[in-house]
């Protein structure tokens, strides 16, 4: 089951470009009105999605009402789950809908939930969102100069504004190209017509940006508040090919979150919001547990054989012997003259571990004779036991 991508409004759902893209889950409790705005309803919806899909990504605009964002965080805290990611995107409404569509396309790929959720920030850098506005007097999302602010009061004035990835504002005159900075890759243009005609966007702008496909859609209701006017035509351009999106995300280095253990790309986990540790501290949690070295028990010193083989185990290069008579001296496994013999292990090599701590077997002295050392030679030997004792 792919990771579920949920949105907070039906206006953030764009039609699927193919039959393989899964639909978006719409949180009905996020809608204002008598049927929405309830924490209990939000808890029930999110709990159902988590149980069905395992992990859930909730995409919501960063400019969403604070009460909605607080309710989503309260639901996550009440459920005590780390399988819910709240992805707030700082994009215009149409750009947020296009980003949610890209996440839905990538949800059927082999990306883990952590990588998919953190890919939202990466994809947002390759998304161009703007609008053609009839006035910029109330626009506060893009810097507006004093001259442009004064000209916006003139009748018939129009402005081409690019909000992401780099803010840009151009005053339009005639039917010429708006002159906005074009993306350096093929895109799909989604256009939502409001109080202004969309011919300037679908004509001159689409030709200048070398757009492959133009898709009309309905203008989101939140666009008027975001752009500061109801006389506008909003547009958003993004990468349309899912294979290019897959290569873009898979080419980024993946890290492991030190808090929840999920994979991520970037510098922050989208599920637990834990930042990525500095480069010097990464991977410390993933190190294996420390085990005692071979031949060492707790509270005891290592065997002498290991002490002699330590330089070779450390990978140090030994000098080559010029004289053949010096070759035995360079053998780190050979015992020096006068050193006690090292007991042999079960495989025939030097003893390690418990075998190194056992005393070596000693030979019996010659004056002990054929008898055993614990027998008395003056006592007669005991009678042999019968193999078939009588009952």
């Amino acid at each position: 089951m792919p990771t579920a991508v949920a949105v907070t409004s039906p206006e953030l759902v764009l039609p699927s470009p193919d039959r393989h893209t899964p639909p978006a889950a719409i949180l009905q409790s996020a809608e204002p009105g008598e049927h929405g705005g309830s924490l209990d309803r939000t808890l029930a919806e999110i709990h159902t999605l988590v149980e069905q899909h395992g992990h859930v990504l909730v995409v919501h605009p960063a400019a969403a009402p604070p009460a909605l964002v607080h309710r989503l965080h309260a639901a996550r805290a009440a459920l005590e789950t780390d399988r819910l990611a709240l992805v707030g995107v700082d994009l215009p409404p149409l750009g947020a809908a296009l980003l949610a569509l890209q996440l839905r396309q990538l949800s059927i790929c082999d990306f883990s939930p952590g990588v998919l959720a953190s890919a939202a920030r990466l994809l947002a850098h390759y998304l161009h969102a703007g609008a053609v506005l009839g006035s910029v007097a109330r626009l506060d999302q893009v810097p507006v100069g004093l001259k442009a602010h004064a000209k916006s009061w003139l009748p018939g004035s129009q402005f081409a504004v690019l909000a992401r990835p780099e803010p840009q504002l151009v005053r339009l005159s005639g039917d010429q190209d708006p002159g906005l900075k074009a993306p350096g890759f093929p895109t799909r243009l989604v256009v939502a017509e409001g109080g202004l005609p969309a011919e300037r966007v679908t004509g001159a702008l689409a030709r200048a940006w070398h757009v492959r496909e133009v898709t009309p859609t309905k203008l989101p209701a939140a666009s008027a508040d975001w752009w500061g006017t109801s006389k506008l035509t909003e547009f958003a351009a993004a990468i349309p090919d899912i294979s290019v999106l897959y290569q873009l995300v898979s080419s980024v280095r993946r890290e492991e979150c030190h808090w929840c253990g999920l994979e991520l790309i970037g510098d922050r986990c989208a599920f637990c919001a834990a930042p990525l540790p500095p480069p010097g501290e990464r991977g410390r949690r993933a190190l294996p547990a420390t085990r005692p070295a071979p031949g060492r028990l707790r509270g005891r010193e290592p065997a002498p054989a290991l002490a002699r083989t330590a330089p070779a185990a450390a990978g140090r290069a030994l000098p080559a012997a010029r004289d053949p008579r010096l070759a035995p001296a360079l053998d780190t496994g050979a015992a020096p003259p006068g050193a006690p013999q090292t007991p042999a292990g079960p495989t025939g090599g030097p003893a390690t571990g418990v075998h190194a701590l056992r005393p070596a077997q000693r030979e019996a002295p010659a004056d002990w004779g054929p008898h055993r050392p614990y027998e008395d030679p003056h006592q007669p030997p005991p009678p042999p036991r019968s193999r078939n004792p009588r009952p």
Side-chain angles (χ1 to χ4, degrees):
M1 183 67 67
T3 303
V5 178
V7 294
T8 56
S9 173
E11 300 174 348
L12 298 179
V13 180
L14 294 178
S16 302
D18 50 56
R19 59 185 180 88
H20 303 288
T21 302
I26 303 175
L27 297 181
Q28 302 294 337
S29 60
E31 287 295 312
E34 58 178 347
H35 298 289
S38 174
L39 179 60
D40 296 338
R41 187 178 178 87
T42 304
L43 286 172
E45 287 183 332
I46 294 179
H47 178 71
T48 303
L49 290 175
V50 170
E51 292 297 326
Q52 292 178 352
H53 298 270
H55 292 80
V56 180
L57 312 181
V58 179
V59 180
H60 66 88
L68 171 60
V69 180
H70 294 165
R71 189 163 64 252
L72 292 176
H73 284 274
R76 186 183 187 276
L79 292 175
E80 297 182 354
T81 179
D82 55 355
R83 295 185 292 172
L84 173 64
L86 303 179
V87 183
V89 292
D90 190 13
L91 292 171
L94 191 59
L98 191 54
L99 179 62
L101 176 60
Q102 290 182 330
L103 293 177
R104 289 161 49 194
Q105 290 179 300
L106 293 177
S107 64
I108 61 176
C109 301
D110 57 350
F111 293 124
S112 62
V115 173
L116 180 64
S118 55
R121 297 176 57 189
L122 174 65
L123 299 178
H125 290 287
Y126 294 89
L127 197 147
H128 290 63
V132 175
L133 308 178
S135 174
V136 293
R138 300 175 56 188
L139 179 62
D140 55 358
Q141 302 291 342
V142 178
V144 180
L146 181 61
K147 185 177 181 180
H149 188 275
K151 290 184 177 181
S152 63
W153 294 96
L154 299 177
S157 298
Q158 293 186 5
F159 300 85
V161 182
L162 189 65
R164 302 292 183 273
E166 296 180 3
Q168 189 179 359
L169 190 148
V170 178
R171 187 173 183 271
L172 299 178
S173 59
D175 296 334
Q176 61 182 4
D177 176 24
L180 298 178
K181 186 178 180 180
F185 45 86
T187 59
R188 171 196 179 195
L189 187 65
V190 181
V191 182
E193 183 178 348
L196 294 179
E199 285 77 9
R200 188 184 294 273
V201 177
T202 57
L205 181 66
R207 290 190 299 268
W209 282 16
H210 303 285
V211 175
R212 289 185 176 181
E213 179 185 358
V214 178
T215 304
T217 187
K218 183 181 179 181
L219 182 69
S223 298
D225 295 336
W226 204 93
W227 294 103
T229 178
S230 58
K231 298 178 59 177
L232 77 158
T233 297
E234 190 175 3
F235 59 87
I239 302 175
D241 195 352
I242 186 175
S243 61
V244 179
L245 295 177
Y246 180 86
Q247 294 178 3
L248 178 64
V249 177
S250 59
S251 62
V252 182
R253 179 180 177 180
R254 304 182 187 183
E255 301 286 350
E256 183 179 351
C257 180
H258 68 284
W259 184 260
C260 64
L262 292 177
E263 285 185 327
L264 61 95
I265 58 176
D267 58 351
R268 184 175 297 274
C269 180
F271 280 87
C272 64
L276 195 66
E281 300 180 2
R282 297 178 187 176
R284 291 187 177 182
R285 185 180 180 183
L287 293 178
T290 304
R291 298 181 179 179
R296 177 187 293 270
L297 298 180
R298 294 184 179 179
R300 299 185 181 183
E301 295 297 327
L306 292 178
R308 292 192 299 272
T309 57
R316 299 180 182 178
L318 297 178
R322 298 181 179 179
D323 192 346
R325 294 174 296 178
L326 299 179
L330 296 176
D331 185 8
T332 57
Q341 296 294 330
T342 303
T347 58
T352 59
V354 180
H355 303 283
L357 298 177
R358 295 178 178 176
Q361 297 181 359
R362 300 180 181 180
E363 297 181 0
D367 56 349
W368 280 6
H371 61 267
R372 298 180 180 179
Y374 52 83
E375 296 179 352
D376 190 357
H378 302 284
Q379 296 292 335
R385 295 182 179 181
S386 177
R387 297 183 179 271
N388 297 322
R390 295 180 182 181

